[in-house]
Amino acid sequence: MKLNKVHHIAIICSDYRRSLAFYTEVLGLTVLAENYRPERHSYKTDLALNGEYVIELFSFPDPPKRVSRPEAAGLRHLAFEVDDIEASIGELDRKGIAHEDIRVDGYTSKRFVFFEDPDGLPIEFYEK
């Protein structure tokens, strides 16, 4: 088997407009396609990072809450590489996004920080 790359990550949100604003206005992703599916009462929106398709943002009526803490089996978090962790944290601060303190990876000595999307999905910024 030959895998080429991760094609996309699917995220189901509880409040579509709030999450769309977070991923586009806070994180800076761009909308490639936005589709409302009336038969499902839901959106499926394709988001890009630097022109590359990375996230499918879905809305569904009354989705169950995601278990985050304590750690549950399944997807743990979504991580984005950043050039400058302190500059990225400064942007989160200016946009009113709470975050944890900077940590250092014990294996790579790289710095990283965690914060959450509007539904509590853990997101990590990992310094290049």
Side-chain angles (χ1 to χ4, degrees):
M1 177 182 319
K2 179 186 175 293
L3 302 178
N4 293 324
K5 65 179 184 175
V6 173
H7 188 265
H8 69 272
I9 298 147
I11 298 172
I12 298 171
C13 61
S14 64
D15 181 324
Y16 175 72
R17 292 290 167 208
R18 181 180 67 174
S19 290
L20 182 63
F22 176 83
Y23 283 97
T24 57
E25 297 170 18
V26 174
L27 296 184
L29 279 68
T30 56
V31 174
L32 293 176
E34 181 178 45
N35 298 289
Y36 182 72
R37 303 175 304 177
E39 72 283 0
R40 292 180 157 193
H41 306 288
S42 73
Y43 281 92
K44 178 204 175 282
T45 299
D46 301 332
L47 300 172
L49 175 63
N50 299 322
E52 187 172 331
Y53 172 54
V54 293
I55 292 178
E56 275 182 345
L57 186 62
F58 287 96
S59 68
F60 292 103
D62 303 315
K65 297 247 184 246
R66 177 186 187 276
V67 176
S68 181
R69 299 196 197 292
E71 296 287 354
L75 180 67
R76 186 171 183 191
H77 62 265
L78 175 59
F80 294 98
E81 179 183 275
V82 298
D83 288 329
D84 182 335
I85 198 81
E86 287 159 354
S88 299
I89 288 172
E91 287 190 48
L92 292 177
D93 290 342
R94 283 188 294 282
K95 294 175 180 178
I97 304 298
H99 55 81
E100 296 179 358
D101 292 334
I102 293 174
R103 300 189 214 175
V104 177
D105 187 312
Y107 297 106
T108 66
S109 298
K110 301 282 185 165
R111 299 183 305 164
F112 63 97
V113 66
F114 279 98
F115 58 101
E116 295 179 347
D117 85 345
D119 286 305
L121 174 67
I123 298 179
E124 176 184 5
F125 282 166
Y126 195 90
E127 195 168 51
K128 185 175 180 179

